[in-house]
Amino acid sequence: MKVRTRFAPSPTGYMHIGNLRSALFAYLTAKSMDGEFILRIEDTDQERKVEGAVDFICQTLNLVGLKPDEGVGAGGMYGPYYQSERLAIYQKYAEELVEKGDAYYCFCDEERLNKLREIANARKVPFTYDGHCANIPLEEARRRVANGEKYVIRQKMPKEGVTSYVDTVYGEIKVENATLEDQILIKSDGFPTYNFANVIDDHLMKISHVNRGNEYLSSTPKYLLLYKSFGWESPIYIHQPLVIKADRTKISKRNKDDNLMDLINRGFLPEAIINYLALLGWSPKENKEIFTLKELEEAFDIKRISNAPGCYDIKKLEWFNAHYIKNMEDEKYLSWIKSYLTYDVTDKTEDWVNKLLLTYKGHISHGVQINDVVKNFFTDEYNLSDECIELLESDEIVPLVIEKFISEIEQITDWNTDNIKLAVDNVKNSLNVKGKLLYMPLRIKASGYMHGPELDACIYLLGKEKTLNNLRK
Ligand code: GLU
C-alpha cells in the first residue's frame, strides 16, 4: 500500500503553530514511510473563508520545507483539491447512500428544529435530531425535492450495535450506534458538511493515513459507518493530541508567539520551528533533541506519537532557535542578521559591523533581538538595570577596579584585544581581585550590561574613546 497523508486546513486565516504541527505530523507520517503528502483545502464553510489564506498556507508550507507532493499548488490525479469545487461529487455519493437506504432527505425547517432544541434545553439534554423524516417513502421525498422544497441529506444511523476502531495514538474507540445522531451530510445550500466530505475525499484521494486533531476521535465511528455503507476500506487513523501553551493561554493566530509569520518576522528560523514542533507530542527513540527535517523524516515513527498534549513554550523555542543561529555559517548568518539590524551603520566600517554581529552570534535567541544586545554600541547614554547598580555598589573595591582600568586603557596605544586583555590582567594583579568583582564591574561600566560576549571583544568593538567615556560615567 502506498502511504498517502493529507493536510486539510480550512482557509480561515493565518497559520499558528498548532496548524503547522498538524501539517508537520501529516508530512512526517508520509515521509517516514516513503509516502506522499497531499494538500487539500477544506473550504466548505464559505462564511469563515478568508481572502488570501490559501496562498498564505502554501507559502508557509514551502517556507518551512513541507512541500506537498500533490494537491493545491502542486496538482495531481485526484483533484480538484478544493472542496468547494467538488460539490457534484459529494451530491452524487450522498444520493447513492439515499438509494441504499443509509441516508435520507430531511425537510424539517428551522422552526421545527428550534422547537426540538428548546425541548432538549428544557430537559437539559443535548439536542439531537429525532429522525422525523427518516421514514418518508423515497418516492415521495424525491417528488418533494423535484418540487423545489428545501432539504438536507442526513445519514441514517443504525439503532443497535457498536462501532469501534483502533486509533494509532489512542487505542480502541467504541461507540454504541444508538447514541449517534442522524447527522447532516449535505446542507440545504448544497455544500457538504465536514462529516461527509472528509470521508469522500479521503477515500477518493486514496489517503492511507488520516492525521488530524483528537477533537475528531469520537466522531470517527460515524465516518466509519459511511465507509461501511459504501463498502470502502477505511484509512488508518492517527488522532493527534492538542498543543497547549506553557502559560495556559489559548493558542491563537492573533498572539505574536503563536502566529507563524510573526515568529518568522521576528527572526525565528524555519528549521528551529520545525525541529521544536516535531517534539510537541512526539518523542524520538534515541535521546536526542536536534533534528534537521531530513533526520526527522527518517526518525519519525507514528507509534511514538504521545496521547498527552504537547506543551508549547516560547522559551523552549528560543532555546532551539539560539542553537540554530549559533550553528549557522558565518556568511549566511551575517546576511540574515543584517536584515534585522535597525541601527544606522553608514559611519561604521563593514569590518566593524561584521565583527560586532559575529561577536553577538551566540548571544541572541531570535533575529530582532540583535537590536537589544548591541544597543549600547550605537548610543551615548545607557541605563543600568537595578541588578547592575546593585553589583557596582556591592563592594568598596569596585571604584578602585574601575579607576585602575581607566588608567590601563588610557595607556594602550595599539588598540587590540591582546592589549585589552593585558589591561584587565594588570588590574587583577595590582589590586588582587578576580572573578565576579573584576569582570562584572568592568563589563557593566563599559558596555552597560551585566552579561554578554567576551569582555575584551566587547571593549575592542566599543573603541578606546567610547570605553573611556563609559568608564568615567
Ligand atoms: N479542515 C479541518 C480543520 O481545519 C481538517 C480536519 C482534518 O484534517 O480532517 O480542522
Side-chain angles (χ1 to χ4, degrees):
M1 173 189 63
K2 182 84 193 160
V3 170
R4 287 169 57 86
T5 68
R6 85 292 191 283
F7 175 46
S10 304
T12 55
Y14 292 147
M15 275 172 84
H16 59 56
I17 45 115
N19 306 134
L20 183 60
R21 207 276 313 249
S22 296
L24 176 62
F25 278 21
Y27 174 90
L28 291 175
T29 298
K31 297 300 157 184
S32 64
M33 293 183 277
D34 233 353
E36 290 158 349
F37 173 60
I38 292 127
L39 173 63
R40 174 170 84 221
I41 298 295
E42 303 207 327
D43 57 349
T44 54
D45 190 343
Q46 295 288 304
E47 270 157 37
R48 293 182 58 221
K49 224 163 117 172
V50 169
E51 212 45 58
V54 173
D55 283 346
F56 190 80
I57 290 166
C58 294
Q59 280 166 17
T60 306
L61 291 179
N62 275 322
L63 182 71
V64 299
L66 309 183
K67 245 175 92 62
D69 300 298
E70 188 183 313
V72 170
M77 282 164 55
Y78 301 97
Y81 294 95
Y82 281 94
Q83 288 189 327
S84 60
E85 293 172 15
R86 301 172 62 81
L87 301 188
I89 301 174
Y90 307 125
Q91 188 71 29
K92 168 181 160 247
Y93 282 101
E95 270 160 21
E96 195 178 312
L97 283 186
V98 172
E99 189 67 41
K100 285 184 162 141
D102 290 332
Y104 58 89
Y105 296 103
C106 168
F107 303 95
C108 290
D109 56 15
E110 260 324 288
E111 198 184 327
R112 177 164 193 278
L113 295 176
N114 280 338
K115 220 166 257 157
L116 291 180
R117 280 191 196 103
E118 274 168 32
I119 296 170
N121 261 348
R123 285 194 193 141
K124 296 195 177 7
V125 293
F127 162 75
T128 47
Y129 179 67
D130 62 355
H132 184 70
C133 294
N135 298 317
I136 300 174
L138 187 52
E139 285 299 293
E140 183 189 329
R142 287 218 165 105
R143 214 168 25 244
R144 288 171 70 174
V145 169
N147 280 342
E149 214 174 306
K150 228 172 146 181
Y151 69 92
V152 299
I153 297 180
R154 288 184 184 270
Q155 184 179 359
K156 192 187 249 173
M157 295 296 180
K159 295 286 165 273
E160 49 206 33
V162 171
T163 302
S164 69
Y165 71 105
V166 179
D167 182 76
T168 310
V169 177
Y170 290 88
E172 191 181 31
I173 306 293
K174 252 190 192 163
V175 169
E176 299 272 349
N177 294 337
T179 64
L180 301 176
E181 184 188 25
D182 286 356
Q183 63 177 349
I184 296 177
L185 305 178
I186 302 283
K187 297 182 279 186
S188 58
D189 60 3
F191 279 77
T193 54
Y194 170 80
N195 296 333
F196 190 50
N198 88 87
V199 170
I200 303 301
D201 291 345
D202 287 340
H203 173 73
L204 294 180
M205 294 178 187
K206 298 202 175 346
I207 301 302
S208 64
H209 293 66
V210 168
N211 300 73
R212 64 182 167 207
N214 66 7
E215 66 268 32
Y216 296 101
L217 195 61
S218 62
S219 40
T220 296
K222 298 193 230 178
Y223 312 149
L224 291 169
L225 288 167
L226 289 171
Y227 280 96
K228 195 168 152 204
S229 301
F230 284 118
W232 295 340
E233 200 184 320
S234 58
I236 293 166
Y237 286 101
I238 305 170
H239 285 100
Q240 293 160 188
L242 275 180
V243 178
I244 56 166
K245 296 238 311 247
D247 64 7
R248 305 207 167 266
T249 57
K250 208 169 164 300
I251 290 185
S252 142
K253 295 169 201 187
R254 278 174 288 278
N255 185 316
K256 71 179 178 54
D257 287 350
D258 305 348
N259 180 304
L260 212 59
M261 260 312 140
D262 224 305
L263 289 170
I264 302 273
N265 289 339
R266 273 150 69 205
F268 283 86
L269 298 162
E271 307 88 287
I273 297 175
I274 287 293
N275 189 161
Y276 176 50
L277 290 187
L279 301 172
L280 289 186
W282 171 77
S283 57
K285 210 181 283 155
E286 44 180 336
N287 188 10
K288 171 174 159 177
E289 273 192 306
I290 301 298
F291 288 89
T292 63
L293 184 56
K294 264 266 150 294
E295 288 167 340
L296 286 170
E297 291 173 19
E298 264 150 45
F300 196 76
D301 177 356
I302 53 174
K303 297 210 181 63
R304 298 187 63 85
I305 298 175
S306 159
N307 59 14
C311 185
Y312 172 66
D313 184 351
I314 184 75
K315 289 275 163 264
K316 192 81 209 242
L317 176 58
E318 284 173 0
W319 180 86
F320 274 93
N321 206 51
H323 172 89
Y324 278 85
I325 294 173
K326 214 179 288 175
N327 286 287
M328 250 186 191
E329 256 175 50
D330 283 354
E331 217 164 292
K332 193 171 157 208
Y333 162 79
L334 283 173
S335 75
W336 172 77
I337 197 67
K338 279 177 187 170
S339 69
Y340 292 99
L341 190 68
T342 54
Y343 296 106
D344 181 10
V345 292
T346 43
D347 65 336
K348 316 274 186 203
T349 66
E350 191 182 348
D351 181 58
W352 182 86
V353 173
N354 288 351
K355 274 197 180 113
L356 177 73
L357 296 174
L358 286 170
T359 299
Y360 281 87
K361 187 179 174 196
H363 294 265
I364 52 171
S365 69
H366 54 286
V368 295
Q369 204 189 15
I370 193 71
N371 296 304
D372 297 334
V373 296
V374 302
K375 184 171 78 200
N376 295 338
F377 289 88
F378 295 93
T379 49
D380 288 334
E381 290 302 319
Y382 57 67
N383 292 321
L384 295 181
S385 68
D386 292 348
E387 198 188 11
C388 288
I389 294 171
E390 214 170 282
L391 193 123
L392 293 180
E393 291 170 351
S394 68
D395 199 291
E396 282 160 9
I397 192 93
V398 171
L400 303 177
V401 168
I402 292 163
E403 206 175 301
K404 175 74 181 145
F405 193 54
I406 290 174
S407 77
E408 288 294 329
I409 290 288
E410 278 169 343
Q411 287 169 45
I412 297 180
T413 47
D414 194 2
W415 190 247
N416 59 43
T417 49
D418 284 343
N419 285 338
I420 295 166
K421 255 187 222 151
L422 206 63
V424 177
D425 273 348
N426 289 344
V427 176
K428 177 176 159 184
N429 297 331
S430 66
L431 295 176
N432 199 19
V433 276
K434 55 183 180 189
K436 204 170 157 178
L437 282 177
L438 171 66
Y439 293 101
M440 286 222 173
L442 297 184
R443 180 190 295 284
I444 291 170
K445 283 298 280 187
S447 76
Y449 285 114
M450 191 168 218
H451 305 283
E454 291 291 316
L455 183 60
D456 52 299
C458 279
I459 288 179
Y460 171 76
L461 288 162
L462 279 167
K464 183 169 172 178
E465 196 188 319
K466 196 168 167 68
T467 300
L468 285 172
N469 283 343
N470 286 352
L471 291 170
R472 287 181 185 129
K473 269 179 203 160

